[in-house]
Amino acid sequence: MAPAEGAGYSPVAMAASRLELNLVRLLSRCEAMAAEKRDPDEWRLEKYVGALEDMLQALKAQARPASEVINEYSRKVDFLKGMLQAEKLTSSSEKALANQFLTPGRVPTTARERVPATKTVHLQSRARYTSEMRSELLGMDSAGEPEQDVRKRSGVAGPRPVDEKQSAAELDLVLQRHQNLQEKLSEEMLDLARSLKTNTLAAQSVIKKDNQTLSHSLKMADQNLEKLKTESERLEQHAQKSVNWLLWAMLIIVCFIFISMILFIRIMPKLK
């Protein structure tokens, strides 16, 4: 009974599933670390992402899982890698711009997630970089102002808080316009992608029909060629038969004329 039970054992399949399980566990851990507030000297997440890349390359070499799952893993690993690279930039505007080009995952990594963790991390980083940009534009650092600057600003007379509120409102308006523009561009790109997909499918259908018509035409041409060969052979045989009958008829006529001439000479008297 032991061989029968082990007949379906596949070491390659078990290795691939074990590798995928380890990748999912490490990916979930990296997503959790990315969602938390980390110290600037934190190095583990970068090492984990490098290990994820190696595991992903090893998983791509296997026949399993499906290509859609591999693409989803690649999208999440690329997002984490891009997020780490964006954090290394010096300016908050550069960080926000780099964050806009990141693409989070579409499917939750684990069954406990309702929303993909990478999407949550993307929203958190966008809000953080937007806050840093607002602070830089208002003349404040993200970690707080020095005490001397605070004293100087507190000693300045005039409607400074009103100006700061107005600047903050204008900044929010500019950021909102940029976000609306980005959403509009995203919708236009999606519409363009849909249109391109529709045109591609239509062209594929037309090409398929043309190929079918061409195949049918080639088949009919082959059939007509075979029929032409057959009719040519029959015509050649018929021509040979007609030539043979004509030759025999001419021989018979010539013989008849020759015999008639001999009889005519014998019967008719010679002239004196």
Side-chain angles (χ1 to χ4, degrees):
M1 294 296 292
E5 293 177 357
Y9 175 80
S10 177
V12 177
M14 291 189 66
S17 62
R18 187 181 301 111
L19 180 61
E20 183 181 1
L21 181 60
N22 293 334
L23 186 144
V24 170
R25 289 177 178 175
L26 185 58
L27 180 60
S28 178
R29 176 59 179 166
C30 291
E31 291 174 350
M33 292 179 65
E36 297 174 354
K37 187 176 181 180
R38 292 172 283 109
D39 295 332
D41 298 333
E42 178 64 39
W43 55 270
R44 292 180 300 172
L45 182 58
E46 188 172 358
K47 296 294 183 182
Y48 289 166
V49 173
L52 279 175
E53 291 181 347
D54 296 338
M55 296 172 67
L56 185 61
Q57 293 297 329
L59 190 62
K60 287 181 179 179
Q62 305 290 340
R64 298 174 58 187
S67 59
E68 292 81 2
V69 181
I70 293 291
N71 293 334
E72 182 65 21
Y73 291 154
S74 301
R75 188 180 296 109
K76 292 181 180 180
V77 173
D78 292 340
F79 171 80
L80 294 174
K81 184 178 179 181
M83 185 195 68
L84 292 175
Q85 293 177 354
E87 290 179 352
K88 295 179 181 180
L89 299 175
T90 56
S91 175
S92 60
S93 59
E94 294 178 353
K95 294 179 181 179
L97 182 61
N99 184 71
Q100 290 181 358
F101 291 101
L102 296 179
T103 304
R106 302 175 182 175
V107 182
T109 305
T110 59
R112 293 176 297 178
E113 299 177 3
R114 293 185 178 180
V115 179
T118 51
K119 184 176 292 186
T120 304
V121 174
H122 191 218
L123 295 176
Q124 291 177 354
S125 59
R126 178 187 295 178
R128 183 171 65 254
Y129 296 148
T130 303
S131 178
E132 292 179 1
M133 287 178 60
R134 185 183 296 114
S135 299
E136 288 183 359
L137 291 175
L138 293 177
M140 298 181 296
D141 296 331
S142 59
E145 294 181 331
E147 185 177 357
Q148 294 180 357
D149 294 340
V150 175
R151 288 179 181 177
K152 289 180 181 179
R153 294 192 179 187
S154 61
V156 177
R160 185 63 180 176
V162 177
D163 294 340
E164 292 181 356
K165 291 182 180 179
Q166 185 177 1
S167 300
E170 292 177 354
L171 177 62
D172 292 337
L173 182 60
V174 172
L175 293 176
Q176 184 65 31
R177 288 179 180 176
H178 281 290
Q179 186 175 1
N180 294 336
L181 181 60
Q182 182 182 1
E183 292 177 356
K184 185 178 179 180
L185 291 176
S186 300
E187 291 178 358
E188 291 180 356
M189 290 179 65
L190 288 175
D191 293 338
L192 182 61
R194 293 192 188 98
S195 178
L196 182 61
K197 182 179 180 181
T198 303
N199 294 335
T200 304
L201 292 176
Q204 184 178 3
S205 178
V206 171
I207 292 173
K208 186 177 180 180
K209 291 181 180 179
D210 291 342
N211 289 334
Q212 292 178 354
T213 304
L214 182 60
S215 300
H216 182 69
S217 299
L218 292 175
K219 186 177 179 180
M220 294 296 295
D222 293 337
Q223 293 179 357
N224 293 334
L225 183 60
E226 294 294 333
K227 290 181 179 179
L228 182 61
K229 289 181 179 180
T230 304
E231 295 297 331
S232 298
E233 292 176 356
R234 292 178 58 187
L235 181 61
E236 185 178 358
Q237 293 176 0
H238 182 70
Q240 291 178 356
K241 290 180 180 179
S242 61
V243 170
N244 292 333
W245 282 108
L246 182 62
L247 181 61
W248 283 106
M250 291 178 65
L251 289 174
I252 293 172
I253 293 173
V254 170
C255 293
F256 177 75
I257 294 174
F258 180 73
I259 295 172
S260 299
M261 289 296 295
I262 292 175
L263 293 176
F264 180 76
I265 293 173
R266 291 291 182 89
I267 294 174
M268 295 298 296
K270 295 182 179 180
L271 296 176
K272 294 181 180 180

